[in-house]
Amino acid sequence: TKPNKSNKRSNMMRTCTAALLITCTCTSGYVVRTPTTVAYTKEYIKGLGPDFDVVAHGGYYKLEKQASAKLGAANFAALKPYLPDDFDVVAYGGWNKVFQLAADPKGKLVSIIQNGLKNKKGKIQGAAGESSDDVVALTSLLHAHGKGYDGDLVDGEWASVMNLQAKKSPKIQKIVGKGEKAGTTYSTFDVDDLVFDGNVKLIFGKGDLTSKVKYMPVADNFSVVDKSIVLRRISCDIVGASWKFWKLPRVPLPLRKKGGYLDFLYLDKDVRVTKGNRGGLFVHFRPEFLEQVMA
């Protein structure tokens, strides 16, 4: 049976109403602060009129939280029909937290990674710190934007900036991940040949681990957003790997594996978020965007 559109609209209205109640009653707690939400807050306060007394109404922070929650509620209502089935509001901290995250999912994800890399001295694994649940929620919100695999956008070099290993992630992947740092780990897509190469610098830059993966976009796990089909998955076969240390000759590694895949949760000109078939979550930035973020 087809979903009842009027019911969907009613559910969205109830969600927005709940958000507005939250913005009016909450005076403390979580708030997302990014350039987007800061700009929205300024416009929000400006719209209250020249005679509005910020101090008398609880101060700037309270109004900032109300503004970002209002923005987030509107964004969430638009994204809700396209969220993954396993999106768990309770697990992600409740409605107020989710509305705050929805105010600017990309901006908040970038902020978490920026702070994590600085605190972890550039280490990619564990860069999320205590914000791992927020990262999962944010990637689900980004997934709902309907920006999956796009050959034109993905082509070229990407810098690895965060990975969240899953319980089923390969042991070698977990071991290598511990030594990866932003700015020394890259993957490069060649859409003409349908391959992407991985390059990881280890052991103070003296070790060089490379891999080559043959891929193919497939119809499995596609999404429909705003009546448009969004391609998500590429099948992945590891066809080559090698290791070189310092001045020693490069040595081929017996790493060959077929049948893997990578799901594109989000992709734009700056950010790539993917999930592997073993459950690992990976975030990449364009090298120039990484430099901009860490400047």
Side-chain angles (χ1 to χ4, degrees):
T1 59
K2 294 183 178 180
N4 190 309
K5 292 184 178 180
S6 63
N7 286 342
K8 281 190 174 182
R9 285 194 292 269
S10 297
N11 289 336
M12 288 182 192
M13 288 301 296
R14 283 195 290 270
T15 299
C16 292
T17 301
L20 291 175
L21 288 173
I22 288 170
T23 63
C24 293
T25 57
C26 289
T27 58
S28 63
Y30 189 88
V31 64
V32 165
R33 185 176 292 115
T34 68
T36 296
T37 62
V38 168
Y40 184 85
T41 298
K42 290 179 178 178
E43 290 300 314
Y44 176 79
I45 294 176
K46 184 178 179 181
L48 296 175
D51 298 326
F52 184 83
D53 190 335
V54 173
V55 176
H57 287 80
Y60 180 84
Y61 178 77
K62 180 179 179 181
L63 293 172
E64 179 185 32
K65 191 151 74 80
Q66 290 178 0
S68 58
K70 181 180 179 181
L71 174 61
N75 289 346
F76 185 84
L79 297 174
K80 186 179 178 182
Y82 313 114
L83 287 171
D85 293 337
D86 60 355
F87 190 87
D88 190 337
V89 173
V90 175
Y92 298 147
W95 283 111
N96 183 57
K97 180 75 171 288
V98 167
F99 289 143
Q100 289 288 339
L101 295 174
D104 184 14
K106 177 183 173 180
K108 182 58 180 176
L109 178 63
V110 170
S111 176
I112 289 173
I113 292 172
Q114 178 190 51
N115 293 330
L117 291 177
K118 288 180 178 179
N119 293 334
K120 296 287 185 178
K121 297 181 179 180
K123 288 188 176 181
I124 294 168
Q125 190 160 292
E130 296 179 356
S131 301
S132 297
D133 288 342
D134 290 355
V135 169
V136 176
L138 289 164
T139 55
S140 293
L141 290 165
L142 288 171
H143 179 279
H145 282 75
K147 297 183 177 182
Y149 175 83
D150 182 313
D152 292 332
L153 279 178
V154 78
D155 197 33
E157 188 176 48
W158 294 87
S160 180
V161 294
M162 176 184 286
N163 64 56
L164 294 179
Q165 302 290 350
K167 290 182 179 179
K168 294 183 179 180
S169 294
K171 290 183 179 179
I172 184 65
Q173 183 174 291
K174 293 180 179 179
I175 293 171
V176 172
K178 291 180 179 180
E180 290 182 291
K181 287 190 174 183
T184 64
T185 303
Y186 295 91
S187 66
T188 304
F189 275 75
D190 182 342
V191 296
D192 290 332
D193 290 336
L194 292 177
V195 298
F196 65 86
D197 299 318
N199 183 271
V200 182
K201 298 292 185 183
L202 299 168
I203 316 176
F204 305 106
K206 293 184 178 181
D208 183 49
L209 178 65
T210 64
S211 62
K212 183 180 288 290
V213 177
K214 188 74 176 176
Y215 78 90
M216 178 65 66
V218 296
D220 296 345
N221 204 39
F222 71 89
S223 303
V224 178
V225 177
D226 288 334
K227 299 180 180 180
S228 296
I229 294 176
V230 180
L231 193 64
R232 298 286 184 189
R233 183 166 294 179
I234 59 173
S235 63
C236 299
D237 296 334
I238 301 174
V239 296
S242 66
W243 167 255
K244 178 176 174 57
F245 182 73
W246 200 32
K247 297 179 181 180
L248 298 176
R250 183 171 292 278
V251 178
L253 299 177
L255 293 177
R256 301 287 189 280
K257 190 168 184 179
K258 293 185 177 181
Y261 63 78
L262 201 62
D263 284 337
F264 281 68
L265 305 186
Y266 180 82
L267 175 67
D268 67 14
K269 64 182 182 64
D270 301 316
V271 178
R272 170 163 64 91
V273 183
T274 54
K275 188 174 184 178
N277 56 289
R278 295 289 191 92
L281 189 66
F282 311 97
V283 183
H284 290 75
F285 289 173
R286 286 293 188 186
E288 56 273 18
F289 184 66
L290 174 59
E291 289 182 10
Q292 175 187 331
V293 167
M294 300 305 294

